[in-house]
Amino acid sequence: MTTTASSKLVEFRAVSKVYGTGDAKITALDRVNFSIRSGEFVAIVGASGSGKSTAMNILGCLDIPTAGDYLIAGVSTSGYSRQQRTLLRRHLVGFVFQGFHLLPRTTALENVELPLIYRGIARAKRRTLAIEALDRVGLKAREDHTPQQLSGGQQQRVAIARAIVTNPEIILADEPTGNLDSKTSVEIMALFKRLNSELGATVVMITHDTAMANYARRVLRFSDGHLEAQYLKRHSCNAD
């Protein structure tokens, strides 16, 4: 799939997600509509239980709607098998998590190489691409360090390098500053802004922190399973 800078990269059409039945029934999303264009930097915000994490799981093909349709680059994913969704994740999405999710006994370089191994990229090419990705996040000099030898901010930079090494269509960041102090959080958000502007990477960030959401160009606010509001930021933070 390829997209242009002005095209819709992902789109929710009346997406609902329901868990459980009867008295245990929970409606996590209720007929939600929105789209994100290629090259945008979007923050999805809301309190715990608002539906923002469920939306991210569907965006990343980790879950499927109960009703409605989720489209990627104009193509409906309705009826996709688990294997097809896995292939979409592998080739279109880069994930960044609050807890970093790095392998503890492997180096930064080896952690960044992992998505390329799943793609069957040859070892020499993997190393070249991984070093380039680490260089983009300012950690080329730390390629041989294990996570235990890195600060929290450095670990998150490794996770971001791992997310961008495959040049994905979209980067999904789930509370990427949740485990970081305020100074390091600002540095990580500045990095996301740079990747968005310099690489044209589409960034979608889930956060409950309004200060972090201010770095995005557009904000989607969720409440009780509904898209309560969406708005453009006139002046997003300039912490580059």
Side-chain angles (χ1 to χ4, degrees), residues 67-142:
D69 200 4
Y70 171 45
L71 291 81
I72 301 179
V75 178
S76 171
T77 61
S78 178
Y80 272 29
S81 66
R82 180 175 296 181
Q83 182 179 13
Q84 286 173 311
R85 293 197 306 275
T86 298
L87 288 174
L88 278 177
R89 287 197 303 274
R90 186 175 299 170
H91 291 277
L92 297 179
V93 184
F95 290 96
V96 180
F97 299 99
Q98 176 177 343
F100 316 140
H101 291 192
L102 302 177
L103 297 180
R105 295 182 178 86
T106 58
T107 65
L109 181 66
E110 291 165 337
N111 269 285
V112 175
E113 282 184 308
L114 278 175
L116 302 173
I117 293 174
Y118 296 141
R119 284 193 175 192
I121 305 297
R123 183 176 181 180
K125 182 65 173 177
R126 288 201 311 265
R127 181 179 177 84
T128 298
L129 292 173
I131 290 174
E132 289 175 356
L134 284 169
D135 193 25
R136 286 191 182 277
V137 302
L139 280 185
K140 185 176 180 181
R142 298 288 192 274

Side-chain angles (χ1 to χ4, degrees), residues 49-232:
S50 63
K52 65 183 187 301
S53 293
T54 301
M56 194 204 77
N57 287 339
I58 294 174
L59 284 169
C61 293
L62 296 169
D63 205 347
I64 58 175
T66 303
D69 200 4
Y70 171 45
L71 291 81
I72 301 179
V75 178
S76 171
T77 61
S78 178
Y80 272 29
S81 66
R82 180 175 296 181
Q83 182 179 13
Q84 286 173 311
R85 293 197 306 275
T86 298
L87 288 174
L88 278 177
R89 287 197 303 274
R90 186 175 299 170
H91 291 277
L92 297 179
V93 184
F95 290 96
V96 180
F97 299 99
Q98 176 177 343
F100 316 140
H101 291 192
L102 302 177
L103 297 180
R105 295 182 178 86
T106 58
T107 65
L109 181 66
E110 291 165 337
N111 269 285
V112 175
E113 282 184 308
L114 278 175
L116 302 173
I117 293 174
Y118 296 141
R119 284 193 175 192
I121 305 297
R123 183 176 181 180
K125 182 65 173 177
R126 288 201 311 265
R127 181 179 177 84
T128 298
L129 292 173
I131 290 174
E132 289 175 356
L134 284 169
D135 193 25
R136 286 191 182 277
V137 302
L139 280 185
K140 185 176 180 181
R142 298 288 192 274
E143 65 180 61
D144 293 326
H145 288 58
T146 63
Q148 293 92 332
Q149 297 171 312
L150 300 172
S151 68
Q154 289 172 333
Q155 289 183 59
Q156 192 60 292
R157 286 175 182 270
V158 173
I160 294 170
R162 182 182 57 192
I164 66 173
V165 73
T166 59
N167 193 29
E169 292 278 357
I170 185 169
I171 299 171
L172 293 180
D174 186 8
E175 300 282 3
T177 61
N179 284 344
L180 305 176
D181 60 56
S182 58
K183 179 179 181 294
T184 307
S185 295
V186 169
E187 294 172 354
I188 292 299
M189 294 313 303
L191 175 57
F192 276 122
K193 283 198 68 176
R194 181 165 59 81
L195 293 172
N196 174 247
S197 62
E198 293 181 4
L199 299 183
T202 304
V203 179
V204 180
M205 176 180 66
I206 308 298
T207 184
H208 69 278
D209 189 331
T210 55
M212 297 301 103
N214 284 334
Y215 284 83
R217 185 69 182 90
R218 185 158 64 100
V219 175
L220 308 180
R221 183 175 297 280
F222 279 71
S223 178
D224 297 327
H226 296 88
L227 179 56
E228 183 180 57
Q230 54 178 313
Y231 49 90
L232 287 173

